[in-house]
Amino acid sequence: MLRVRPKDTVGPAKQDGVVHRIPCECGKVCIRETGRPMQDRIKEHDRHIRLARTETSAVSEYAHNTGHKPLWNEVKFIDRDPYYYTRRVKEAIHIRLYTNNINRDSGIEIPEAWMPKIKTHNYKRAMQQRTA
């Protein structure tokens, strides 16, 4: 009898096309998107910090200017989208939701009229996750 084995699921760190949050020891976060696997981008941020390449990474610039260290073990996968533009929209939304961030910019422009609905949706989603 032939048995079919489903593919092993790919962990968030190995998925491409993700939005992720990098926490700092001071409580601030950096929210970024990447079309590549998240673990590859995190390794790059770490390398930029070690080599003091502050122009290529907001995380490196913040670490260099403050002496704070990112908490690499606590990087969190936030969202996923295979399409660049919609991933950028998601990144911008999460940057706006997490105001205590070290991002250099707010991502692409999100209409202010969207924010009340986004905040309501995000609150409802958070409440569902807590009760699940």
Side-chain angles (χ1 to χ4, degrees):
M1 174 180 238
L2 179 65
R3 289 189 174 173
V4 177
R5 290 184 78 185
K7 287 185 177 182
D8 293 334
T9 58
V10 178
K14 293 182 180 180
Q15 291 182 9
D16 55 7
V18 300
V19 179
H20 58 281
R21 181 174 59 227
I22 304 169
C24 179
E25 64 186 4
C26 69
K28 293 189 176 200
V29 298
C30 183
I31 297 170
R32 301 303 314 160
E33 67 82 22
T34 182
R36 297 177 297 125
M38 186 171 71
Q39 67 183 8
D40 293 351
R41 187 64 185 115
I42 290 166
K43 286 177 186 175
E44 286 179 357
H45 283 299
D46 189 42
R47 185 171 48 253
H48 293 308
I49 290 170
R50 283 185 285 115
L51 299 174
R53 292 184 181 154
T54 58
E55 69 284 346
T56 54
S57 167
V59 176
S60 177
E61 180 181 24
Y62 187 75
H64 180 74
N65 291 341
T66 64
H68 298 170
K69 293 179 177 35
L71 302 174
W72 298 122
N73 294 334
E74 296 178 26
V75 173
K76 183 166 170 85
F77 165 86
I78 300 175
D79 215 327
R80 183 169 192 268
D81 201 294
Y83 301 104
Y84 174 73
Y85 184 76
T86 51
R87 197 168 57 244
R88 293 280 318 266
V89 169
K90 290 176 180 187
E91 174 194 39
I93 288 169
H94 287 287
I95 289 170
R96 296 281 298 273
L97 290 173
Y98 297 97
T99 55
N100 192 22
N101 68 64
I102 61 172
N103 289 68
R104 292 180 177 154
D105 58 51
S106 299
I108 64 173
E109 191 171 331
I110 300 292
E112 191 59 38
W114 290 10
M115 289 314 295
K117 188 67 172 174
I118 289 168
K119 287 179 181 178
T120 301
H121 174 75
N122 193 55
Y123 175 76
K124 286 179 183 177
R125 193 173 89 196
M127 294 307 290
Q128 287 174 346
Q129 288 176 346
R130 286 185 189 141
T131 58

